[in-house]
Amino acid sequence: MSTDRTTSPPAFATDLAEAVEMLRRLPKDLADEARRTVRGWGEQRPWLCAELVVDEPPGTTRAGYDLLLEHPEGGTVALSADVDDGMPWLIDHSTHWAAGNVLRVNGHDLPITAALSTIRALGARDQRVHEQLVNHCLLLAEVADDDEPLTADETQRTADEFRRRRGLGTREQTLDWLAAAGMTEEVFRGHIESQARIGRVRERFAGEPARRYLAEHPEEFTLRRAAWVTGARPDVLRVLADGPVTGFVERVAAAMRFTEGARLRLEACTVLSSQLPPHLRALPAQTAVGPVPVEGAHLTGVVYEVVPPDPDDPEVLDAARDAAFQAWLDERRRSAEIRWFWL
């Protein structure tokens, strides 16, 4: 390790004393400020490779800290600051210094408590949970230096969207959902504020970036009028695919009335291609597909009409903004330095 200073044990003892003094002054209720303080302190002492590990226990706004310093003779020295009971969280939770974290992305840690809250918000058994956690970590790092106060409109719009996506029409329903998810109102407010700041990142891709993405990927935003049916029996679905496209819904309706045990589910709509089941997204007009396997069942569907995207349609532009944002996030994830501690 190259340094600008002779890292002898006496010199390290001075660094250690300064580290203890700084660690004692870190605010227990402002983890982000603590991270910035340690980052600045460490930049002045690069030979220490200083790293702050933060423990944010559920149900409290107070944080505990571990400060990791590289010893000049090898190895790592850990200094702990207690949360409230005098027991260093490092010992309280585990003997491993990284036990409080799920992963690190580009040097930004995602604590277990934050990861569990994210998993609950995403819903049960999402097969892409690892990808979503990395995305969440990247976005938290992206907004870490956003200190511009949120407006009432930003927080209200974010809270409304949160409730809409979960079908929470009243305050009572929202409180019941929070109780079931194990989230306090205080944690919920923190989550909404975080999501509102992430919303600011998404809005960077509105306007010209969205139009540019739309021009480069028009096929993602083509409107398709389609219908499809899912069921457990491919033999029944194969019969439904035969015959003229215009009679598809009628054939499905008849099968639902007279075919016992088929457990058919019919859907019909006109939406952006990206919102359709994958097998229908590129299907030409007046054609059918199926049966094809989908998530433990089978699907047969038809596309009646294909309409090119209108570049001035607000819904299309919103979808292009979200797609451009997701493409940026996907690229950030692919190029990120990711270290999983567990999970």
Side-chain angles (χ1 to χ4, degrees), residues 6 41 44 49 62 65 68 78 90 129 147 168 171-173 177 206 240 258 273 321 329 333 338:
T6 301
W41 185 86
Q44 297 176 15
C49 299
R62 292 174 60 80
Y65 303 118
L68 308 180
L90 177 67
V129 65
D147 54 5
L168 306 174
R171 173 176 170 78
E172 289 71 22
Q173 290 176 329
W177 187 94
L240 297 176
F258 300 114
S273 296
R321 173 205 60 198
L329 189 55
R333 188 179 63 254
I338 300 172

Side-chain angles (χ1 to χ4, degrees), residues 140-163:
L140 288 180
E142 187 72 19
V143 303
D145 295 327
D146 180 4
D147 54 5
E148 181 182 347
L150 292 165
T151 66
D153 182 64
E154 285 178 308
T155 54
Q156 186 63 55
R157 184 169 61 249
T158 304
D160 290 344
E161 178 64 14
F162 179 94
R163 287 190 287 263

Side-chain angles (χ1 to χ4, degrees), residues 3 16 152 194 234 245:
T3 70
L16 200 61
S194 175
V245 167

Side-chain angles (χ1 to χ4, degrees), residues 239-299:
V239 173
L240 297 176
D242 294 336
V245 167
T246 52
F248 177 75
V249 171
E250 288 74 13
R251 292 195 297 277
V252 173
M256 294 175 72
R257 287 194 302 268
F258 300 114
T259 305
E260 295 183 2
R263 297 180 182 179
L264 301 177
R265 178 180 177 184
L266 174 66
E267 297 185 59
C269 58
T270 300
V271 293
L272 295 173
S273 296
S274 59
Q275 298 172 2
L276 286 171
H279 295 287
L280 299 177
R281 292 174 187 173
L283 203 63
Q286 295 298 306
T287 56
V289 65
V292 291
V294 288
E295 298 180 358
H298 288 79
L299 175 146

